[in-house]
Amino acid sequence: MPIRKNKYWDIRPILKTNADYHLIIGRKANGKTFGCCGAGLTSYINNGARIAYVRRYAKEITPRNIENLFSLHPIDELTDGNFNGTVYRSHKFRLAKFENGETVTTDDTVFCQTFALDTWEQQKGADNGKFDYIIFDEFMPHGNYLPNEFVIFCNVLSTLSRDRAGTKIFMLANPINQYSPYFEEMGLTDVIEHLQRGEIKTVKSKSGLKISVEYCAEDNLRSDLFNAYKKK
């Protein structure tokens, strides 16, 4: 795959902090979701890791809105030609092989499952197993938060990550809003107030969890969209 320069966010610096939580805040369409999903997808292909993709509302995870979540990733290259795309059914993503627009084969294993905070009460009874990557996209909304949203989110994490050992939690957002209840509940208000563009700060919560917060630089130049996650 040729090397080219693109203005996209690079996940590698924040991963090096080895944090439990990774909060990534930056302009829309700078590659935050792409990078986190790419890291999880590659880890599934290489090691069998599983991804939980979380949004606030169930309408945001309908097939129409989300079926192309992994469409830009070089699945053909990463799987040595065994698969070249994904299928999304019943809130579950599987790798698939397409020929002439038709599905030829589908992976038996679900590598990513989607969840919505506003319908969590109906979802929480199912045993979905442990997830290695939890990605909460757009955790700072343009509108209102759900009632008791932080409590719901904590319940989601508790269920999906089980004991949390080894689980990587990513929280992604577009604007900086220092009054987000997430910052207050996680003890990050002071960190956010002083965070500079292009900076990563790492702190420990009262419970001992390591939290890294990144305010993305306006232009994060890195080589090729998926270069950081190729198989070694």
Side-chain angles (χ1 to χ4, degrees), residues 33-43 51 70 73 78 135 226 229:
T33 301
F34 182 93
C36 292
C37 286
L41 172 63
T42 306
S43 189
I51 308 166
F70 297 93
H73 299 285
L78 292 169
I135 302 169
F226 213 75
Y229 317 115

Side-chain angles (χ1 to χ4, degrees), residues 111-210:
F111 76 89
C112 177
Q113 193 163 342
T114 63
F115 302 90
L117 297 186
D118 69 335
T119 57
W120 177 248
E121 287 299 315
Q122 295 97 301
Q123 294 175 288
K124 69 179 182 180
D127 183 4
N128 297 297
K130 179 181 180 296
F131 292 88
D132 305 280
Y133 287 76
I134 299 176
I135 302 169
F136 181 17
D137 214 347
E138 299 192 20
F139 77 90
M140 288 195 293
H142 294 293
N144 297 323
Y145 290 88
L146 299 173
N148 300 314
E149 180 170 319
F150 186 77
V151 173
I152 297 171
F153 177 61
C154 289
N155 289 337
V156 171
L157 291 184
S158 178
T159 302
L160 299 184
S161 63
R162 301 296 176 88
D163 59 5
R164 290 188 185 168
T167 299
K168 297 182 184 298
I169 300 167
F170 297 91
M171 299 170 64
L172 317 180
N174 296 328
I176 279 282
N177 180 352
Q178 68 189 65
Y179 302 108
S180 168
Y182 285 93
F183 298 146
E184 183 177 355
E185 294 287 351
M186 298 174 76
L188 297 172
T189 301
D190 186 64
V191 173
I192 294 300
E193 286 179 353
H194 298 93
L195 194 64
Q196 301 297 310
R197 188 178 291 278
E199 186 177 23
I200 298 174
K201 284 192 175 181
T202 302
V203 298
K204 277 206 172 182
S205 69
K206 292 180 180 179
S207 60
L209 292 171
K210 194 174 183 181

